[in-house]
């Protein structure tokens, strides 16, 4: 979606930024050689160019839209109410809180889902 | 020597820069506002592209999910038709009875949507149908936001009206925030994750667990539970499908069955937090905590006023993004804290043996009972 905009603007911005940096370098050289008047002008032009290119850069910066639509990691906690055995796994379509799922590997009782929430990592 | 800045234009570079400054000054003097308008239009256009991307992705996700649920032959066409649905608000010149007119329209809308989804996904079970219905509603909301903003953008571009464009540009961060929340909700409805808005239902589900559960109103279930020596009628939407039900009808029915002899009603619901507040923070409130268009809230307010029943609420703070995206750990943990707050409220505000209603409000997707 933003590829066309970024290619054109990025090229312009980069050229402007490059010129601005060169101008600033020339300003520094002018100051060193004692030509303060020329240095001031170059410094002003360089600062303007750099500000403008930074403004363009911030305007063309787009958030990664695909990230918004990427499903978050959701974890399901299952426990056996009889022996307290606990298992945490990734959410599976069809899971819901208080659903009876698999049998407990320790006491063979029905285990239930007690929590479902989004988490960056499985605890 | 004190140096002048900028120095007098006695060099070639100086002359060039002076001319540039003069030209820029004149341009900004006469065309400043127009430049400002174009800059703002450019910014709005960028945001509009983002809205379009979200709208298109929402549509794609909806079509793909419906296809997986045995999509009908002309599915794409049907989805596109669905995304253009609008509900026309009832006339309110004579406001008496407008709530019932609005309720009727909302009922017809809900039945129509469900019927449409059933046609689009004939193989889907009841739980899937409800989730798909809300998935399509989220896509519809994204489509509506995009089209409204596009309307004002094009109107602003056509008229070059600073006031239209300025309002749009200023409101855009808030509009994008809401649209991003809807976009992140899409996957929650695809997978059937519990969402932040369901925290009220979660609290009620925890309270009614291992008790006899029976239906009491449309999409609402009820259980009678003894809590701290009080006889509590716990209600929530029937899970695990994406439903909110009609809690107003359920509360009204319980009150009338008990001839108004209800000591208190406690609502538990998610509420939008203010910036700076923590997600999952709990607060107490007085009044009917039911969101939506206001029909259910009206029904409860009407009957509690008639019988002079005190109404309390326990609200769980969350962001608009948290409310319709998969439930976060903070919100999940807040459910237990809310139960403790309900118990404290019962001890403080009611007597032993009193009858109370505890209503868990919100979307019960991914939450059974």
């Amino acid at each position: 979606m933003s590829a066309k905009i970024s290619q054109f603007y990025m090229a312009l911005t980069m050229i402007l930024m490059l010129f601005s940096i060169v101008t600033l370098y020339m300003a520094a050289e002018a100051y060193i050689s004692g030509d303060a008047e020329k240095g001031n002008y170059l410094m002003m032009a360089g600062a303007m160019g750099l500000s403008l290119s930074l403004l363009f850069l911030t305007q063309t910066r787009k958030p990664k839209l695909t990230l918004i639509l990427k499903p978050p990691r959701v974890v399901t906690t299952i426990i056996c109410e009889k022996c307290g055995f606990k298992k945490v796994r990734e959410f599976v379509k069809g899971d819901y809180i208080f659903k009876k799922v698999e049998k407990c590997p320790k006491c063979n009782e029905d285990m239930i889902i007690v929590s479902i929430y989004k988490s960056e990592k499985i605890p | 020597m004190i140096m002048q800045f900028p120095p007098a234009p006695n060099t070639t570079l100086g002359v060039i820069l002076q001319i540039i400054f003069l030209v820029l000054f004149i341009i900004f003097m006469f065309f400043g506002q127009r430049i400002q308008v174009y800059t703002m239009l450019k910014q709005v256009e960028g945001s509009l592209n983002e809205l379009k991307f979200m709208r298109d992705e929402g549509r794609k996700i909806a079509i793909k999910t419906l296809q997986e649920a045995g999509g009908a032959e002309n599915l794409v066409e049907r989805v596109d038709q669905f995304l253009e649905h609008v509900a026309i608000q009832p006339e309110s010149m004579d406001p008496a009875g407008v709530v019932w007119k609005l309720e009727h329209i909302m009922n017809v809308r809900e039945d129509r949507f469900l019927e449409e989804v059933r046609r689009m996904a004939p193989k889907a079970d009841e739980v899937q149908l409800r989730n798909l219905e809300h998935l399509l509603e989220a896509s519809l909301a994204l489509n509506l936001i995009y089209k409204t903003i596009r309307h004002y953008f094009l109107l602003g571009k056509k008229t070059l009206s600073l006031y239209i464009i300025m309002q749009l540009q200023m409101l855009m961060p808030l509009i994008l925030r809401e649209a991003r929340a809807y976009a992140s909700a899409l996957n929650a409805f695809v997978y059937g994750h519990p969402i932040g808005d369901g925290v009220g239902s979660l609290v009620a589900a925890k309270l009614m667990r291992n008790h006899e559960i029976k239906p009491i109103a449309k999409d609402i279930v009820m259980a009678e539970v003894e809590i701290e020596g009080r006889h509590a009628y716990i209600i929530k939407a029937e899970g695990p499908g994406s439903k909110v039900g009609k809690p107003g009808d359920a509360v009204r029915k319980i009150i009338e069955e008990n001839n108004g002899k209800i000591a208190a009603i406690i609502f538990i619901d998610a509420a939008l937090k203010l910036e700076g507040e923590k997600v999952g923070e709990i607060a107490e409130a007085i009044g009917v905590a039911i969101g939506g268009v206001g029909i259910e809230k009206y029904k409860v307010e009407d009957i509690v006023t008639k019988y002079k029943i005190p109404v309390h609420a326990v609200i769980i703070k969350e962001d608009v993004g948290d409310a319709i995206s998969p439930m976060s750990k903070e919100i999940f943990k807040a459910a237990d804290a809310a139960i403790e707050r309900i118990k404290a409220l019962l001890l403080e505000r009611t007597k032993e043996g009193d009858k109370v209603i505890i209503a868990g409000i919100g979307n019960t997707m991914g939450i059974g009972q």
Side-chain angles (χ1 to χ4, degrees):
Chain A
M1 180 200 80
S2 58
K4 262 193 274 178
I5 303 167
S6 55
Q7 269 179 17
F8 178 68
Y9 277 101
M10 282 303 276
L12 269 184
T13 310
M14 286 304 154
I15 291 166
L16 184 63
M17 194 179 262
L18 198 72
F19 272 119
S20 309
I21 291 166
V22 171
T23 314
L24 286 173
Y25 177 74
M26 281 163 68
E29 271 193 336
Y31 281 126
I32 291 163
S33 64
D35 192 353
E37 205 170 282
K38 190 182 173 188
N40 283 338
Y41 275 118
L42 289 169
M43 172 73 93
M44 215 154 58
M48 273 171 65
L50 198 65
S51 314
L52 212 61
S53 57
L54 286 175
L55 179 76
F56 285 153
L57 265 186
T58 51
Q59 280 192 347
T60 50
R61 198 182 59 185
K62 300 264 179 240
K64 284 191 176 174
L65 295 175
T66 44
L67 281 181
I68 301 167
L69 296 156
K70 196 182 161 200
R73 174 171 265 184
V74 177
V75 294
T76 299
T77 310
I78 307 162
I79 64 157
C80 171
E81 288 183 301
K82 195 180 173 193
C83 71
F85 177 76
K86 186 180 165 188
K87 186 181 164 188
V88 181
R89 60 158 168 79
E90 295 243 14
F91 178 89
V92 176
K93 208 169 174 178
D95 279 357
Y96 64 85
I97 295 171
F98 300 137
K99 182 187 183 184
K100 279 184 186 169
V101 279
E102 65 225 45
K103 296 275 181 194
C104 175
K106 282 188 177 172
C107 61
N108 210 31
E109 277 289 310
D110 280 334
M111 288 171 77
I112 60 153
I113 294 174
V114 287
S115 76
I116 298 170
Y117 50 76
K118 66 178 165 196
S119 169
E120 288 307 309
K121 54 182 181 196
I122 290 189
Chain B
M1 187 186 100
I2 302 167
M3 212 183 319
Q4 190 191 343
F5 189 83
N10 50 7
T11 59
T12 317
L13 188 66
V15 172
I16 294 167
L17 277 174
Q18 286 292 338
I19 292 167
I20 291 172
F21 283 136
L22 194 67
V23 171
L24 281 177
F25 178 73
I26 292 165
I27 289 173
F28 276 103
M29 203 163 65
F30 290 106
F31 301 101
Q33 189 172 310
R34 189 156 283 209
I35 292 167
Q36 200 184 351
V37 164
Y38 281 121
T39 313
M40 283 194 285
L41 273 173
K42 194 79 199 155
Q43 284 174 3
V44 173
E45 196 178 6
S47 305
L48 192 67
N49 283 335
E50 191 178 334
L51 288 174
K52 186 175 184 295
F53 174 79
M54 286 191 263
R55 191 273 305 253
D56 292 345
E57 286 301 308
R59 181 180 166 272
K60 271 188 222 164
I61 290 172
I63 292 170
K64 193 181 161 217
T65 315
L66 284 160
Q67 263 164 354
E68 283 168 6
E73 268 182 24
N74 49 351
L75 182 67
V76 178
E77 198 184 313
R78 276 182 184 275
V79 170
D80 287 337
Q81 272 175 14
F82 188 96
L83 296 183
E84 296 299 325
H85 263 289
V86 279
I88 300 161
Q89 296 290 308
E91 184 48 61
S92 57
M93 270 196 294
D94 177 13
V98 75
V99 175
W100 310 119
K101 287 197 276 181
L102 183 61
E103 185 183 28
H104 174 65
I105 287 169
M106 297 315 284
N107 286 345
V108 174
R109 180 182 185 267
E110 199 185 321
D111 292 345
R112 172 86 187 271
F113 276 18
L114 206 59
E115 204 180 296
E116 285 283 328
V117 178
R118 201 167 274 136
R119 275 192 203 143
M120 285 190 248
K123 286 181 190 165
D125 58 29
E126 198 54 33
V127 173
Q128 266 184 309
L129 273 180
R130 297 297 186 141
N131 296 356
L132 288 170
E133 185 198 348
H134 282 101
L135 168 67
L136 280 164
E137 287 234 35
S139 307
L140 192 148
L142 284 170
N143 187 39
L144 189 67
I145 294 172
Y146 167 68
K147 288 180 93 170
T148 311
I149 299 306
R150 187 183 61 180
H151 164 74
Y152 285 109
F153 169 73
L154 292 175
L155 195 67
K157 208 173 174 181
K158 210 178 267 182
T159 58
L160 283 182
S161 162
L162 181 68
Y163 298 102
I164 295 173
I165 300 158
M166 200 186 258
Q167 285 183 65
L168 203 56
Q169 190 245 2
M170 283 172 166
L171 285 171
M172 205 44 103
L174 298 174
I175 296 164
L176 278 177
R177 209 173 157 201
E178 195 151 325
R180 284 181 193 134
Y182 277 116
S184 63
L186 293 168
N187 278 310
F189 290 118
V190 170
Y191 294 98
H193 297 142
I195 55 172
D197 180 54
V199 67
S201 289
L202 178 65
V203 169
K206 285 188 172 204
L207 288 172
M208 63 168 57
R209 200 160 168 256
N210 296 326
H211 290 83
E212 193 197 340
I213 293 160
K214 54 186 179 187
I216 184 158
K218 193 186 176 197
D219 296 334
I220 296 279
V221 288
M222 188 263 286
E224 292 178 46
V225 181
E226 293 296 317
I227 305 174
E228 305 287 348
R230 280 78 174 160
H231 187 80
Y233 296 92
I234 318 276
I235 60 165
K236 75 177 275 287
E238 189 181 11
S242 177
K243 290 178 197 169
V244 286
K246 290 193 172 287
D249 287 344
V251 170
R252 182 186 280 262
K253 197 171 173 189
I254 296 167
I255 293 172
E256 278 169 355
E257 277 174 3
N258 286 282
N259 298 315
K261 288 186 177 61
I262 296 290
I265 305 175
I266 303 172
F267 288 93
I268 311 104
D269 197 5
L272 279 185
K273 75 176 185 76
L274 298 173
E275 285 302 320
E277 286 182 324
K278 282 183 188 161
V279 173
E281 215 173 84
I282 294 171
E284 277 178 39
I286 305 293
V288 182
I290 306 180
V293 286
I295 301 162
E296 299 307 306
K297 191 177 175 186
Y298 175 87
K299 287 177 192 167
V300 177
E301 283 172 350
D302 189 45
I303 194 139
V304 294
T305 309
K306 184 182 169 190
Y307 290 106
K308 303 277 179 274
I309 301 168
V311 185
H312 308 278
V314 173
I315 54 172
I316 296 140
K317 307 277 185 78
E318 50 192 74
D319 209 330
V320 64
D322 296 314
I324 50 175
S325 62
M327 194 179 280
S328 67
K329 197 174 180 178
E330 292 84 12
I331 298 171
F332 186 84
K333 286 195 168 170
D336 291 328
I339 290 172
E340 291 311 310
R341 199 64 82 90
I342 292 166
K343 286 179 181 170
L345 253 175
L346 288 176
L347 291 171
E348 284 166 18
R349 306 279 163 212
T350 60
K351 295 191 291 291
E352 216 171 318
D354 275 350
K355 287 177 178 175
V356 295
I357 298 172
I358 298 172
I361 307 299
N363 190 317
T364 192
M365 183 168 64
I367 303 165
Q369 51 269 328

